[in-house]
Amino acid sequence: MGIEFLKLSAEHSIARMPAEGNRQPVGFVHGGAYCVIAETLGSVSANIHAGEGRYAVGTDINATHTRSITSGWVTAECTAVHLGRSMTVHEIVCTDDDGRRASTLRITNFLRDR
């Protein structure tokens, strides 16, 4: 997938991945690739919030794709919507190189004790 992490925290994280190698046969970045970067970024952010002795388990993810990316980079910006004791919710916005929104995703993670 070629995901590169640029910033990581429970509240706000950023990553990117190349369009090259993540396209479906028609040439657009695959919808599943948006889900992969979003779930990766949201889960890492949730695990940071969970802290020592706890871990996050994804329970829901949804995506709305509104624009196609065919080249360059997909940048994913993850923002916490809810950081609770037992659950987190993050919104991830994926944009192209010009900052145009291509996909909006939301992930919910359940926090558990090890």
Side-chain angles (χ1 to χ4, degrees), residues 11-103:
E11 297 83 11
H12 184 243
S13 296
I14 301 172
R16 69 182 193 154
M17 71 178 178
E20 181 68 36
N22 291 308
R23 291 188 220 128
Q24 40 108 311
V26 177
F28 305 137
V29 170
H30 196 288
Y34 292 117
C35 290
V36 169
I37 194 170
E39 184 154 3
T40 300
L41 202 52
S43 293
V44 168
S45 296
N47 275 287
I48 292 169
H49 174 70
E52 189 72 29
R54 303 187 80 208
Y55 64 97
V57 177
T59 58
D60 180 66
I61 187 166
N62 67 63
T64 302
H65 310 303
T66 53
R67 178 182 298 276
S68 300
I69 296 177
T70 57
S71 63
W73 290 86
V74 175
T75 299
E77 187 165 355
C78 174
T79 305
V81 174
H82 174 76
L83 295 174
R85 189 170 43 93
S86 62
M87 178 189 300
T88 64
V89 178
H90 287 87
E91 178 184 68
I92 300 92
V93 174
C94 295
T95 58
D96 65 12
D97 287 334
D98 294 322
R100 296 175 297 193
R101 185 182 297 231
S103 188

